[in-house]
Amino acid sequence: QVQLVESGGGLVQAGGSLRLSCAASGRSVSTYVMGWFRQAPGKEREFVAAIRWSTYYTDSVKGRFTISRDSAKNTVYLQMNSLKFEDTAVYYCAAMSGAWGSFRPADFGSWGQGTQVTVSS
């Protein structure tokens, strides 16, 4: 089982940038589909981005967010640019042992504790 710890959240003005980090321990992130999800108050947890041999993004963040992986540091990142008020949420890192192509929260077996991202308008 892999353990995940997110960091890098904070308060930023609209149009600004943040980089989230997800430090993994226990197993290599390269053996998993790694994903970022977010959950805004009163809303369901939603998929944001995933990486393994390729990357995939939800439409609302394409061109603004970039997911990447540093295998030497066993860390996954989410670079978020041109942030909007509607990006405000708790962001979670997650790991999935299953096949690429399914990005439902229920498919991911390991989760971090989350990091708050607040975008002021």
Side-chain angles (χ1 to χ4, degrees), residues 2-48:
V2 63
Q3 291 78 46
L4 305 171
V5 178
E6 303 97 334
S7 62
L11 173 64
V12 63
Q13 288 187 332
S17 298
L18 281 175
R19 188 178 79 157
L20 305 183
S21 299
C22 173
S25 60
R27 292 193 67 180
S28 170
V29 294
S30 300
T31 64
Y32 293 94
V33 174
M34 297 299 299
W36 284 98
F37 292 77
R38 64 187 180 187
Q39 188 166 18
K43 295 187 176 181
E44 293 187 353
R45 192 168 298 190
E46 66 169 353
F47 169 79
V48 175

Side-chain angles (χ1 to χ4, degrees), residues 93-116:
C93 176
M96 178 177 68
S97 301
W100 179 263
S102 177
F103 304 123
R104 301 173 303 170
D107 294 320
F108 286 73
S110 298
W111 292 83
Q113 82 289 351
T115 185
Q116 176 71 47

